[in-house]
Amino acid sequence: MSEMQKIKLSIANRVYPLTIAPEQEEGLRKAAKEIEAMITQFEQSYSVRDKQDVLAMCALQFASQVEQKQIDTESISEHVEEKLNALNRLLEDQLNS
């Protein structure tokens, strides 16, 4: 088991101290950077001043991206399964004839 490390992330002008596994650091820092960019975009595009509203919009954006990826993955899996079943039927037909 790897040693835990302490890092500090700044989001919406607040510092969040975290204790994490070293392999999590890159992902967390990238996520924090993406959140900061999204905050800036929402503040500029929608004239939102309340950080709570901006953070809620960021959370919704991230959650919808995760959900859409899950939907897309399920759709691809179903398509692949259909193709594999069709190939299996073709092989069985060839073997049985």
Side-chain angles (χ1 to χ4, degrees):
M1 186 171 154
S2 60
E3 292 287 323
M4 300 299 277
Q5 68 183 43
K6 295 180 187 245
I7 66 169
K8 292 181 181 178
L9 294 178
S10 177
I11 300 172
N13 299 323
R14 284 192 162 175
V15 176
Y16 296 92
L18 302 170
T19 303
I20 61 164
E23 58 271 12
Q24 293 179 303
E25 183 175 7
E26 182 179 2
L28 285 167
R29 292 201 185 277
K30 283 183 177 182
K33 188 174 181 178
E34 194 171 333
I35 290 168
E36 282 295 321
M38 203 177 288
I39 287 170
T40 301
Q41 178 188 2
F42 283 136
E43 286 177 335
Q44 290 173 351
S45 298
Y46 300 107
S47 299
V48 180
R49 296 285 174 243
D50 185 357
K51 291 290 185 190
Q52 182 73 27
D53 291 339
V54 174
L55 289 171
M57 292 167 73
C58 289
L60 180 60
Q61 182 80 14
F62 275 113
S64 68
Q65 289 171 358
V66 168
E67 290 300 321
Q68 189 60 51
K69 284 181 184 178
Q70 182 66 29
I71 290 167
D72 293 346
T73 299
E74 289 171 4
S75 176
I76 290 169
S77 294
E78 288 173 10
H79 181 71
V80 168
E81 185 176 354
E82 289 170 7
K83 293 286 186 185
L84 288 172
N85 286 335
L87 282 171
N88 193 36
R89 284 190 298 275
L90 284 171
L91 286 171
E92 287 176 353
D93 290 346
Q94 289 298 316
L95 290 172
N96 292 331
S97 51

